[in-house]
Amino acid sequence: MSLAPGVRLGAYEVLALLGAGGMGEVYKAKDTRLDRIVAIKILPAHVASDPDFRQRFEREAKALSSLSHPHICTLFDIGEAPNPESRVSHPDTIQFLVMEYLEGETLAARLNKGALPLEQAMRYAIEIGDALDKAHGQAIVHRDLKPGNVMLTKSGAKLLDFGLAKTNAPAAGAGLSMLPTTPPHLTAQGAILGTFQYMAPEQLEGQEADARTDIFAFGSVLYEMLTGRKAFEGKSQASLIAAILEREPPPIATFQPLTSPALDRIVKTCLAKDRDERWRSAGDLVRELKWTAETGPQAAATLTAAAPAARRASRVTWMFAGIATVATAAAIALGVLYLRSAPGDALPIRFSVSPPQNVALSRNVNQTVAVVSPDGRRVVFVAIGAGGVSLLWVRALDALEAQPLPGTEGTPSLPFWSPDSRTLGFFAGGKLKTIDAAGGPVQTLCDASSGKGGTWNREGVIVFAPNITGGLFKVPAAGGQPTPVTSPDVSRRENVHRYPTFLPDGRHFLFFASPSNTILVGSLDSNETTRLLTADSQAQYAAPGYLLFGRQGTLLAQPFDARHATLTGDAVPIGEQLASDAFAYAGFSVSDSGVLAYRTGALSTRTQLTWFDRTGKALGPIGPPGLYRNPALSPDGTRLAVEATDPQSRHQDIWLVELARGVTSRFTFDSGNDIYPVWSPDGGRIMFGSDREGGLFNLYQKLANGAGDDERVLKSSDDMAPNSWSPDGRSLVYRLGLTTLGILPLTGDRKPRPLLQSSTFTQTQAQVSPDGRWIAYSSNESGRYEVYARSFLAPAGKWQISQDGAVFQRWRGDGKELFYYAADGRLMAVPITGDTAVEVGTAVPLFEARMLNGPNIAAGFKMQYDVTRDGRRF
């Protein structure tokens, strides 16, 4: 029976057929009394005519009408009306249910596209489990939980079809639990009934269903959400039933290697053949899910992944242990990686590594990857301690806690080990440095203004990237004058070489080239380089013969002959949701012995520009989400200049946003990376940095209306970044490298000169006050970044503004207030007065602000917020 649009069932007008199946039809309809859209389920005649079922149906409908839960489809009404299609004088009646009309897609439809992202799967699982717990609390058992009975809406998951559930009556047989909208082909002769794949063993054996029966079905649904595969399958109905009764599904880690083993335990308990061994209640199950979600996907993990034999001959086995983070959403996984035939008696390794008390891991991937020593016995990472001070921490894997390395304070990044696992190299303060892993004095080897990775061979040679552009250099591990070893090839779309790592022979090394996004092999003995493959991150060699690298958020392993520098097989995915940063550094590290550190979480994923008031209240977004950095408001507050990164090519351009209309337009169009926009005082021009000449970042300017060509303003032998225009528009303050602030006259001879210069510490982010008398800047001269102010042009006078660590200082339009971003993540405001000297008032916290890269200075991050001239909106 099919009802035509316009047919009335009492007060309900049929609008359209939504679905049909063996148990009836569901229609979209209009409640003419309340003027709302509803869904109507028409019960088939063979069910409605059964007196026993009809009585039970009415009793259950009354119970369900009071079952109010945000993740259960609401039952509005139960009704009976004459059959409008009847041709007799005493027409048959139609039994129907009136339910909440939901817009979205079923979970079954979503699973046709594959597994759900872990965070989304966990959220839906908790919502479904909570709905089951509510129903079970009122003695209602669903008995037909499956993806087709879950609707995914904007407000979350909604559990459908409680209308045929069981209260406290005997089971009514499998047929009555079929979803009314079950696709017809699932009930065809010789096909597997869809419901069977989610039935508990006791249902298949004709026993009475209870709450634990729903928990079994829940486990099957959760397994499918996480893996994209059904927990139980068979070529026939008989083989499917046998699988449910006798077999266990493969571990979730078989398909999702980085899924927490806690989830495997949850699902395995749900799917226990004996219902007494399952979770006692849906409430217990939900509490376990919430705990697992809160502790991170890598907590206490032991994971095993087997790649399909058709894709490679050997097996990949992982064993992980989680490193819990204190102040970040992502987690770092640590474990043993076997890229060979897995040992049959390999024992799981289960342990958790947490930062020490009152110490937090940074959001930066290039700091908080736990870099494993070559012998696999220790890891090093950067953590933020008291007062917001970052330094290196070393953790022996057989020790209880990590230990700090005094002397590495500041913002150390990209640490790497000596081949004997005794010494560490790292970048800090515009230098390449080393320190004994057990502690001791820090040795400065050479300049590295914006270091982007290093590697150390057994002959005492370090190959490193000193800048965010240009080639690789080598330097003796004892220090000395660096000499170049690679040069970017512009014809191959290379302007930067980064992240070198030695191959086993200690003469050849892998490195990453950008913007071509390729992995190449270089040599200490030759200027020739060999292209291997395209990738989205650095690559690292893993014994006995694999390359590990990232591509589109997936960690891949590809067979590799290191002796001949050739690939010998196809890449195999061994991890998902690989974290990476804006400079293509991905969160993984592997030792010679096969210990792997891995960080999940899309840390360089899309950001959203958003207005806030002084209390931290969000006032609304600006434009669509994207990969944005360094926003800069025009002097009149009508436009925003911002860097935008293409997610595929990682190419950076400057875009303009008209704030009143929300219209976004591209401002720069060249083949290089254009960054650091700074407006002229009259709003007529924008100064920016660009590496379009295939090397370092030089200074360019362009008319803000987009007319005319880009003009190169200054070229130098080191990276430059515009910081601030003087209020009279006659000079520009810029950063040269990381240690020098320069001033460039924009009239007359236009000869640049140093403004602040140091050889030992960083000085950056200079901002000239609106009256032109003072300059505020960040410096780590005290061992951590603080905000200072001094006379702009006069040689005398210097004042410290912040006390407990700060960066990203900006002036209010009248110069009477200075804002900065404190090390604890709060945006601060401090009154500034005085005519002949800077008089600093008491700093007032405004609100905790989430900014890209956090309260850390790194190359490429100039200012991650801006403020209106009146200081009221950010």
Side-chain angles (χ1 to χ4, degrees), residues 212-227:
R212 293 167 296 176
T213 304
D214 281 348
I215 288 175
F216 184 94
F218 178 92
S220 296
V221 172
L222 177 55
Y223 184 93
E224 195 169 343
M225 285 197 292
L226 294 169
T227 67

Side-chain angles (χ1 to χ4, degrees), residues 304-607:
T304 302
R311 301 190 63 179
R312 58 177 178 165
S314 61
R315 184 180 175 189
V316 179
T317 298
W318 301 78
M319 290 190 287
F320 287 100
I323 298 181
T325 66
V326 172
T328 65
I332 303 172
L334 178 70
V336 180
L337 165 67
Y338 294 95
L339 285 163
R340 54 177 66 90
S341 297
D345 58 351
L347 296 176
I349 298 176
R350 301 174 184 265
F351 60 94
S352 178
V353 179
S354 300
Q357 189 175 6
N358 299 322
V359 173
L361 298 181
S362 168
R363 295 183 178 92
N364 297 339
V365 178
N366 64 13
Q367 292 181 334
T368 51
V369 171
V371 181
V372 190
S373 61
D375 61 11
R377 295 171 180 259
R378 290 186 284 185
V379 294
V380 60
F381 54 90
V382 180
I384 304 169
V389 177
S390 298
L391 71 165
L392 296 179
W393 293 73
V394 174
R395 161 73 189 264
L397 299 187
D398 59 357
L400 294 177
E401 289 190 356
Q403 300 299 320
L405 289 180
T408 62
E409 293 85 357
T411 311
S413 67
L414 293 167
F416 58 95
W417 291 87
S418 63
D420 62 5
S421 301
R422 296 180 179 178
T423 310
L424 287 161
F426 64 99
F427 300 93
K431 306 290 182 181
L432 172 61
K433 302 180 179 184
T434 61
I435 186 172
D436 192 294
V442 172
Q443 304 294 324
T444 298
L445 303 188
C446 61
D447 290 336
S449 61
S450 304
K452 287 297 171 188
T455 185
W456 194 328
N457 74 3
R458 295 187 180 279
E459 297 173 1
V461 175
I462 292 176
V463 173
F464 69 106
N467 300 300
I468 58 175
T469 57
L472 301 176
F473 286 69
K474 64 179 180 181
V475 67
Q481 182 64 37
T483 56
V485 292
T486 69
S487 179
D489 186 342
V490 178
S491 68
R492 297 193 302 191
R493 294 185 65 248
E494 299 172 14
N495 62 22
V496 58
H497 293 164
R498 298 175 182 148
Y499 315 129
T501 176
F502 274 114
L503 290 171
D505 66 0
R507 305 301 296 176
H508 292 85
F509 50 87
L510 304 166
F511 63 95
F512 178 83
S514 178
S516 61
N517 286 11
T518 53
I519 302 298
L520 296 98
V521 178
S523 172
L524 294 177
D525 306 313
S526 170
N527 292 328
E528 298 295 321
T529 60
T530 302
R531 182 185 180 279
L532 288 179
L533 50 84
T534 60
D536 294 338
S537 79
Q538 81 279 11
Q540 190 172 355
Y541 176 80
Y546 286 84
L547 285 188
L548 301 188
F549 58 93
R551 187 182 290 156
Q552 295 183 345
T554 299
L555 181 61
L556 300 171
Q558 187 158 359
F560 176 69
D561 181 345
R563 183 176 179 183
H564 298 95
T566 56
L567 299 167
T568 59
D570 295 332
V572 177
I574 54 176
E576 300 295 334
Q577 298 180 329
L578 177 65
S580 63
D581 68 11
F583 295 98
Y585 184 77
F588 72 91
S589 166
V590 64
S591 75
D592 294 344
S593 59
V595 176
L596 176 78
Y598 180 98
R599 181 166 183 173
T600 62
L603 299 187
S604 65
T605 57
R606 297 187 301 172
T607 55

Side-chain angles (χ1 to χ4, degrees), residues 131-193:
L132 284 178
D133 188 44
K134 174 70 172 181
H136 294 166
Q138 297 194 22
I140 299 173
V141 181
H142 193 287
R143 292 192 308 145
D144 194 25
L145 176 61
K146 58 186 177 183
N149 278 348
V150 176
M151 182 69 77
L152 305 181
T153 72
K154 291 181 179 179
S155 60
K158 289 271 192 175
L159 193 52
L160 310 177
D161 281 308
F162 272 93
L164 297 179
K166 168 185 176 291
T167 52
N168 289 317
L176 293 180
S177 67
M178 290 295 293
L179 173 68
T181 53
T182 297
H185 70 273
L186 290 180
T187 61
Q189 184 176 2
I192 302 170
L193 295 178

